[in-house]
Amino acid sequence: MTGPVNVLDRYYLAITLLVTVGYQLLGFAIAWTFQFDKITDFTGGSNFFILALLTLLLGQEFSARNVITSVFVMVWAARLAGFLLFRVLKTGSDTRFDDIRSHFFKFLGFWIGQILWVWTVSLPLIVLNSPAVTDRGQPAFGTASDILGIILWVIGWSIESIADLQKYLYKASKPPKDKPIDVGLWAWSRHPPYFGEILCWWGIWTLSIAPSIHGPGSGSARSAQLGTLVSPLFTMILLLFGSGVPTAEKPTAQKFYNMSYPKTDGAEPRAGDARPESAAWANYQAYRAQTSILLPLPPVVYRALPGWVKKTVLLDLPMYEWTPSKDA
């Protein structure tokens, strides 16, 4: 077996950033030129796969920890990229880009954000596979952090995968439009895929740090590995405060409100000003009152919890709430 290949730096930070920038800008050039969305999410997901495979092959460290962590990232990336590509091919376009697709700098801004997302979230695996860590030796596979990381990733990936499948099958069954999805995991969480994704990346980070916790790594390598904590934290911040929950909660509430109280002569009536034309708004309010925003919980448990627990411990923050009196 040959030794690791040193490319630009011993942590593989520069080469992985260059590959990510090049791959994403190529995707942007294609998407902008042809004005379509079919490769946008696929390019993001597949970029994770490329970085995982690239760093594993460059690092030439095929111990159980490195292989399992790399395979976990590749499996996560392949499922995500494949599912999102399948979905956009079925729908034909992605409504998220309707307002920016024809604006060069706005559209480019999304792709720059995707570069930041892919590279930052991939950092635990990038550093784990790098010569700076592997050259120092590793503890035998099977440490507490290894086992915990595997458990977190398996649970998270299962939740994310099952929830996406359940939602797809639910929509394919042509359900009533005036009711939110409340089947399977969606009866216990309003955003189970986001919860699963957060668990996945906490699992990857936990699985990757054994060399720094239990091994003889140098101070700089240990600092670099612990610094990759930015990956699961970035994932949480992005999904809780960026392009995840905030972009789904209020638009969903407004959609159901508008079904019950459609606009009339350009004015949108308040809920108390007119008789609802459907039960959509009432159905959504009932669903929201009994369904956890992120952590899957049985509705009977969630309903019984005090409001302060829901807002603090379970993160059902006021910023997510859409109210007709303020937002309509």
Side-chain angles (χ1 to χ4, degrees):
M1 182 177 67
T2 60
V5 180
N6 287 283
V7 184
L8 299 180
D9 65 78
R10 287 178 52 77
Y11 291 97
Y12 289 159
L13 300 179
I15 184 61
T16 52
L17 180 59
L18 288 174
V19 168
T20 302
V21 170
Y23 188 60
Q24 294 302 315
L25 291 183
L26 175 62
F28 165 72
I30 296 172
W32 168 257
T33 300
F34 295 100
Q35 286 291 291
F36 65 11
D37 311 321
K38 293 179 175 60
I39 67 166
T40 304
D41 285 327
F42 176 81
T43 306
S46 59
N47 203 153
F48 284 94
F49 189 101
I50 292 170
L51 295 187
L53 184 60
L54 174 67
T55 55
L56 180 64
L57 295 179
L58 286 177
Q60 290 291 302
E61 177 60 58
F62 300 112
S63 61
R65 181 176 298 106
N66 293 71
V67 171
I68 290 173
T69 309
S70 300
V71 168
F72 276 1
V73 171
M74 287 188 279
V75 168
W76 178 86
R79 190 209 70 83
L80 179 68
F83 174 75
L84 295 178
L85 178 62
F86 171 78
R87 187 176 67 179
V88 76
L89 289 176
K90 292 282 287 186
T91 59
S93 64
D94 192 327
T95 56
R96 293 176 302 163
F97 304 114
D98 287 347
D99 295 332
I100 66 171
R101 192 184 300 110
S102 59
H103 299 275
F104 181 88
F105 289 107
K106 289 183 179 180
F107 199 36
L108 176 62
F110 169 84
W111 288 83
I112 292 174
Q114 192 152 266
I115 291 170
L116 178 65
W117 169 58
V118 172
W119 187 75
T120 302
V121 176
S122 295
L123 283 175
L125 179 62
I126 291 171
V127 174
L128 174 66
N129 283 337
S130 71
V133 172
T134 58
D135 282 355
R136 297 285 177 172
Q138 297 196 45
F141 180 75
T143 66
S145 59
D146 293 329
I147 303 305
L148 178 59
I150 290 174
I151 292 172
L152 289 174
W153 186 88
V154 170
I155 293 174
W157 188 83
S158 299
I159 289 174
E160 190 176 3
S161 303
I162 292 170
D164 280 341
L165 178 60
Q166 287 175 336
K167 187 172 185 178
Y168 173 77
L169 294 176
Y170 178 80
K171 287 188 172 183
S173 69
K174 298 181 179 179
K177 292 184 178 180
D178 63 351
K179 290 185 177 181
I181 176 173
D182 60 354
V183 299
L185 290 167
W186 297 88
W188 288 31
S189 170
R190 305 205 298 271
H191 303 284
Y194 295 156
F195 178 72
E197 183 168 340
I198 289 170
L199 277 190
C200 276
W201 287 103
W202 275 110
I204 293 297
W205 181 77
T206 305
L207 184 57
S208 73
I209 60 172
S212 290
I213 296 178
H214 308 285
S218 66
S220 59
R222 181 176 294 109
S223 297
Q225 279 210 292
L226 296 178
T228 63
L229 178 65
V230 68
S231 168
L233 290 178
F234 182 84
T235 300
M236 288 185 66
I237 292 170
L238 184 66
L239 294 179
L240 289 173
F241 304 106
S243 63
V245 175
T247 61
E249 276 289 296
K250 286 191 175 183
T252 299
Q254 186 173 16
K255 179 186 72 172
F256 284 106
Y257 177 83
N258 288 340
M259 287 183 191
S260 290
Y261 302 96
K263 294 180 180 179
T264 304
D265 297 329
E268 193 169 341
R270 299 291 187 263
D273 297 338
R275 184 182 299 275
E277 294 189 9
S278 78
W281 180 236
N283 291 338
Y284 176 76
Q285 287 179 302
Y287 173 72
R288 195 177 189 278
Q290 70 179 20
T291 312
S292 171
I293 192 166
L294 201 65
L295 176 68
L297 288 173
V300 65
V301 174
Y302 185 76
R303 278 196 302 265
L305 294 173
W308 68 268
V309 173
K310 296 176 181 179
K311 288 181 171 61
T312 56
V313 179
L314 298 180
L315 301 177
D316 199 344
L317 305 174
M319 64 177 287
Y320 302 140
E321 187 173 359
W322 186 92
T323 55
S325 60
K326 296 180 180 178
D327 303 307

